[in-house]
Amino acid sequence: MASPHPYDGALPPEGAQALYDDARWADAVSRCMHAGPGTDTALTAEPLRDRPGALLRGSCDLDTRPLLCAALGVVTRIPGRIVHLDLSAVAFLDTAAVAAVVRATATVNGQGRRLILHHPPYSLRKVAEIFPDECAALEVAA
């Protein structure tokens, strides 16, 4: 099935587009929707419709960290030279979640691509302020 999402730049490696199709995203979203027993916080991920990337919703803490890492794993395999991560619907990222975003950024950068963050929550901006060297790779859209 062809992806409805355009990508910018060169063609993705063979088979990479399949990682971004709707079936994979449905699986990623369903895994992220259930944070675990006894938790009030849910984390969801869905593809952006206007550019390659994802929109995260919810809160990223100890209860949702495995789900965040799964969602970021999908994000790092989205084809395109630039991948967007919209955090406008994320209420909170704990320091380990910020570290996971930093690792995802390093993975994408290591592939010669860019991960651009949109509307990071205050918690991410504060962690980046406290740990500027560790978070230097993060790229936030103006």
Side-chain angles (χ1 to χ4, degrees):
M1 169 199 275
S3 173
H5 311 287
Y7 53 87
D8 47 3
L11 293 173
E14 186 175 332
Q17 191 65 31
L19 295 170
Y20 195 52
D21 68 16
D22 290 334
R24 299 281 180 162
W25 269 106
D27 179 55
V29 170
S30 68
R31 281 183 286 141
C32 292
M33 283 175 41
H34 306 305
T39 60
D40 296 329
T41 306
L43 176 66
T44 62
E46 60 189 66
L48 295 172
R49 295 293 173 198
D50 59 340
R51 60 188 176 238
L55 168 68
L56 295 182
R57 294 181 194 276
S59 185
C60 304
D61 54 23
L62 178 63
D63 294 329
T64 59
R65 191 167 306 127
L67 306 169
L68 172 65
C69 291
L72 290 174
V74 172
V75 168
T76 61
R77 292 187 298 275
I78 294 173
R81 290 186 326 180
I82 299 174
V83 180
H84 302 270
L85 185 59
D86 188 339
L87 301 171
S88 61
V90 173
F92 176 75
L93 288 164
D94 69 4
T95 54
V98 173
V101 173
V102 170
R103 284 190 302 275
T105 300
T107 297
V108 171
N109 289 350
Q111 299 166 348
R113 304 180 311 129
R114 295 168 54 203
L115 178 64
I116 299 179
L117 308 178
H118 296 270
H119 312 289
Y122 173 79
S123 55
L124 184 144
R125 294 189 313 267
K126 192 65 176 174
V127 170
E129 181 182 307
I130 294 170
F131 301 103
D133 294 337
E134 291 82 355
C135 296
L138 296 178
E139 185 176 351
V140 177

